Amino acid sequence: MNKLLIALGLAATVALVGCNKDKAPETGATTGEHLENAADQAGHDIAAATSDAATATAAAVDDAATATATAADNAADHAEAAAHDAKEAAKDATAAAAGAIEQGAADVKEKAQQ
């Protein structure tokens, strides 16, 4: 966009300088030739800016895809770790419940024997 504005500014400047009747242009080119050259340059600048924008967009899409894949991998790793932690907690809870039941049974048996 900046290149387009610069090219348009250049074209306007060339047009204004070309309209000045006091001096002939330093290059010996006519106003029409200056405008044609400015238009050609603007066309090249627009093409370059479009190419640069396409390249930047492609890079941004690649970066977004990479970031998404990394986030998915991290989420999978965290889910796996959480599942492992839940499994261990379930084992511990089962062991604690079994221990409590055994202790309760032992207490009942002891009281029954008395």
Side-chain angles (χ1 to χ4, degrees):
M1 185 54 115
N2 288 339
K3 289 182 181 181
L4 178 61
L5 293 175
I6 291 170
L8 291 175
L10 176 63
T13 302
V14 168
L16 290 174
V17 170
C19 291
N20 185 354
K21 301 291 182 186
D22 293 339
K23 289 195 226 175
E26 291 179 15
T27 61
T30 65
T31 301
E33 290 171 336
H34 281 291
L35 290 175
E36 184 178 337
N37 290 339
D40 287 344
Q41 184 61 44
H44 291 299
D45 289 347
I46 290 169
T50 302
S51 176
D52 292 346
T55 301
T57 300
V61 169
D62 288 345
D63 291 346
T66 300
T68 301
T70 301
D73 288 345
N74 288 342
D77 291 345
H78 291 324
E80 185 177 340
H84 177 72
D85 291 346
K87 180 180 173 183
E88 292 301 315
K91 281 183 186 178
D92 293 345
T94 302
I101 291 170
E102 286 178 10
Q103 183 62 43
D107 290 346
V108 169
K109 183 178 177 183
E110 184 180 323
K111 289 197 182 213
Q113 288 177 351
Q114 287 177 358

